[in-house]
Amino acid sequence: MREIQEHPILKLARGKEIWIKFSGTPIRAYENETVAMALYREGIDVFTESSKLHRPRGMFCAIGKCSSCMMRVNGIPNVRTCILPAREGMVIEKQDMYGKLPESIEDFPEPCEIYTDIVIVGAGPAGLSAANILKDFNIRVLLVEQNPKLGGQLIKQTHKFFGSENEMAGTRGFEIANILIQNIKDSNINYKTDSTAFGFYPDSTLAIFQNNQLLKVHSKYFFFATGASEKMIPFAGNDVPGVFGAGAAQTMMNVFGIKPGKDILMVGAGNVGLIVSYQLLQAGINVKAVIEAMPKIGGYFVHAAKLRRFGVPILTGTTIKEVMGTKRVEKAISIGLDEEFKEIEGSEKEWNVDTVCLSTGLMPSVNLLSQAGCTLKYVSSLGGYVPIRNRELRTSRETIYVAGDVSGIEEASTAMVEGKIASLAILEKIGYATGREKEKNIEELQRLREGPFSSKIVESLGEVTYE
Ligand SMILES: Cc1cc2nc3c(=O)[nH]c(=O)nc-3n(C[C@H](O)[C@H](O)[C@H](O)COP(=O)(O)OP(=O)(O)OC[C@H]3O[C@@H](n4cnc5c(N)ncnc54)[C@H](O)[C@@H]3O)c2cc1C
């Protein structure tokens, strides 16, 4: 009932029809679809309940980074259903927030030990670009990705990229992803999807969970390209199903061909908020307004202009005050802000919407770096805690490198170049001659950061980068 039938850019093909069970009721799903997407497409908004007040909970991030969609699957609790591929006969149940453990774990296979030279965690633009460099050398590379698909956030980006020709400017994000992914598939790189790295132990073992199999990875070098997650902001009713991260709406539409809602209020007019609003319109969804707390639009004016051409109002100096709804968003209230960001009494506006998308910033996914003991520093303009590193993206630990959003929120082109720099630096450490390639990419990164939008980033990077 929520399927997008036609799209101006994407060819939406669904896999073979299969059946899963949710709370005892048979639900249609498609192969290549995740459990959460199948449930949502079939009109199910409430996935679980809060433990004390039994408030309904739905999906929020749709990329495996939060806990909103966790359910009990075939008896196992705390499964992130937004990244779990649906399989014929799966039994899905709601769980309380504590997720009581199963009686027995006899069915789990013995852990599997893997020895490699480099393990890359995360197959977004940063991780894929690194793997694309490393594939041409005689070393063992393991690339792990928690989602069923490789590509990170690129696979849902239908807009054409700006930036540099070297990073495929003028090509749509998902097409860039296809090129990078195909190169990996045609190479000897050992890649694993549906594989979540969840623990970095003091003996430098990286623990990965792939389906029901524990993998213990022993590697000479670790490369974390784990990206970022969307920030939640505090307001009444922010847990009501139908409040999504804007990136989640993008995943639903552009990866799974599903409409996130009928009438949307977008919170945040940075690039992600503006781009996703336009993509919602392309999918035939009504965007009632974009509201932005700051006095100015944060994203590129070219994206804002596209929305204005469709008659979508962009209200600056305005924030979200409350979302109402019992099982799903039924209404949202916005409110004006003065120069000191205080709410202006009497400036409330009511919006008849069934969906509220939050595009209120991204936060680097540094959990594994923190476990590994890498030094982190809080830098607000880079999104939160980020690793201290040198110009080759080596962290405070000799064998641990980073690239992309996990090292500070930027965008996909810089993530790709960082992936190349860090992988070339590792190759040099192993003893391979890479000529001027690394320096060329460092210069390229500087060029990408020359625009006025990057000046704050460049200044902030200075706080966390040592020579
Ligand atoms: C939700 C979201 C929406 C965005 N939308 C836009 C947009 O519309 N337009 C735009 O220009 N930019 C957008 N961006 C920004 C841009 O896409 C990113 O800057 C870019 O993708 C960063 O690349 P990356 O490789 O660092 O991270 P990502 O592309 O996020 O890739 C990181 C990968 O690591 C995987 N991963 C994370 N943790 C683990 C783990 N523990 N184990 C295994 N795998 C793991 C993730 O599943 C993911 O595939 C968005 C970013 C996000 C987070």
Side-chain angles (χ1 to χ4, degrees):
M1 63 164 72
R2 288 170 173 163
E3 289 172 19
I4 297 172
Q5 300 301 341
E6 263 180 74
H7 196 281
I9 296 165
L10 297 166
K11 288 191 189 72
L12 300 166
R14 295 182 200 281
K16 192 179 137 218
E17 193 176 286
I18 54 173
W19 289 85
I20 58 176
K21 262 195 182 159
F22 174 65
S23 296
T25 309
I27 301 283
R28 185 174 52 133
Y30 296 110
E31 274 180 357
N32 300 333
E33 189 174 55
T34 63
V35 167
M37 288 301 157
L39 298 181
Y40 191 76
R41 188 182 36 68
E42 291 290 307
I44 295 163
D45 298 321
V46 181
F47 286 5
T48 191
E49 285 175 2
S50 69
S51 52
K52 276 197 178 160
L53 300 178
H54 301 287
R55 289 175 65 83
R57 294 276 194 268
M59 174 164 47
F60 177 72
C61 81
I63 53 168
K65 299 259 173 148
C66 74
S67 57
S68 291
C69 69
M70 278 183 176
M71 282 191 265
R72 187 176 290 273
V73 178
N74 294 340
I76 298 171
N78 298 332
V79 178
R80 287 198 167 107
T81 56
C82 75
I83 55 169
L84 178 75
R87 305 240 190 278
E88 183 72 53
M90 260 181 177
V91 177
I92 320 295
E93 294 156 286
K94 290 179 185 172
Q95 64 176 30
D96 64 40
M97 290 311 249
Y98 301 118
K100 196 169 143 270
L101 289 171
E103 305 280 301
S104 135
I105 53 164
E106 277 162 22
D107 291 343
F108 284 81
E110 281 295 301
C112 168
E113 309 271 344
I114 297 180
Y115 293 84
T116 186
D117 294 316
I118 303 177
V119 55
I120 304 173
V121 182
L128 284 176
S129 294
N132 264 280
I133 297 267
L134 297 168
K135 73 179 179 6
D136 298 328
F137 293 81
N138 187 23
I139 47 173
R140 295 166 302 171
V141 180
L142 171 66
L143 171 64
V144 291
E145 167 55 54
Q146 66 180 9
N147 268 276
K149 292 175 201 268
L150 302 174
Q153 312 317 316
L154 272 184
I155 59 172
K156 60 194 186 199
Q157 292 174 20
T158 53
H159 56 286
K160 292 184 180 166
F161 270 56
F162 305 145
S164 147
E165 243 176 62
N166 294 341
E167 268 49 65
M168 298 182 251
T171 309
R172 296 184 194 279
F174 71 91
E175 289 166 341
I176 298 178
N178 287 343
I179 296 167
L180 294 173
I181 293 167
Q182 199 52 52
N183 289 345
I184 298 301
K185 290 190 172 168
D186 293 342
S187 76
N188 288 329
I189 299 259
N190 179 7
Y191 70 90
K192 293 181 186 299
T193 53
D194 305 306
S195 301
T196 303
F198 66 91
F200 192 96
Y201 289 84
D203 65 347
S204 289
T205 302
L206 182 68
I208 294 171
F209 200 58
Q210 186 191 32
N211 301 318
N212 281 347
Q213 172 80 59
L214 173 64
L215 313 176
K216 291 161 98 177
V217 177
H218 311 278
S219 183
K220 292 182 183 143
Y221 290 92
F222 298 88
F223 190 120
F224 290 104
T226 46
S229 60
E230 296 189 282
K231 286 182 184 167
M232 167 56 83
I233 52 168
F235 58 88
N238 65 2
D239 60 343
V240 175
V243 176
F244 298 122
Q250 207 180 22
T251 304
M252 285 185 216
M253 292 185 291
N254 299 347
V255 180
F256 295 101
I258 296 171
K259 292 185 181 185
K262 291 193 186 102
D263 296 296
I264 313 269
L265 180 66
M266 177 66 69
V267 182
N271 275 327
V272 174
L274 297 176
I275 290 170
V276 175
S277 295
Y278 184 66
Q279 292 173 357
L280 284 160
L281 296 171
Q282 285 180 314
I285 298 159
N286 185 17
V287 180
K288 291 251 173 152
V290 179
I291 59 172
E292 165 60 55
M294 300 301 281
K296 275 200 310 199
I297 291 168
Y300 294 134
F301 288 109
V302 56
H303 297 314
K306 281 183 182 173
L307 288 182
R308 291 205 171 104
R309 279 203 292 279
F310 271 86
V312 176
I314 304 177
L315 310 177
T316 53
T318 306
T319 191
I320 180 102
K321 184 179 167 71
E322 187 170 359
V323 164
M324 286 96 133
T326 44
K327 295 254 180 285
R328 162 144 203 150
V329 176
E330 288 160 23
K331 206 189 282 180
I333 311 282
S334 67
I335 188 159
L337 298 172
D338 67 16
E339 283 123 40
E340 290 168 349
F341 294 98
K342 291 207 182 94
E343 293 185 352
I344 304 169
E345 227 176 282
S347 66
E348 289 89 349
K349 256 202 188 107
E350 194 175 294
W351 302 93
N352 284 320
V353 290
D354 62 356
T355 307
V356 172
C357 289
L358 302 183
S359 169
T360 46
L362 300 170
M363 184 167 55
S365 299
V366 293
N367 323 37
L368 290 163
L369 295 172
S370 169
Q371 283 184 25
C374 298
T375 309
L376 303 175
K377 182 172 179 186
Y378 188 88
V379 185
S380 162
S381 50
L382 295 177
Y385 280 98
V386 289
I388 301 279
R389 76 318 272 291
N390 70 3
R391 63 200 276 274
E392 299 175 344
L393 285 308
R394 193 188 71 221
T395 65
S396 58
R397 286 197 58 174
E398 275 296 307
T399 56
I400 301 183
Y401 285 71
V402 287
D405 277 356
V406 70
S407 64
I409 305 299
E410 281 191 88
E411 37 83 42
S413 306
T414 48
M416 286 190 265
V417 183
E418 285 190 339
K420 291 183 201 171
I421 295 169
S423 52
L424 287 161
I426 295 175
L427 285 169
E428 284 177 4
K429 272 203 140 180
I430 294 176
Y432 283 100
T434 60
R436 274 208 79 249
E437 270 312 295
K438 190 183 69 193
E439 287 309 318
K440 270 188 357 209
N441 278 290
I442 290 176
E443 287 157 19
E444 169 76 352
L445 191 56
Q446 277 162 358
R447 258 194 307 278
L448 285 173
R449 288 174 177 156
E450 266 164 10
F453 273 93
S454 300
S455 60
K456 183 78 195 146
I457 301 269
V458 172
E459 197 188 313
S460 306
L461 286 171
E463 290 180 43
V464 288
T465 313
Y466 61 93
E467 276 309 306

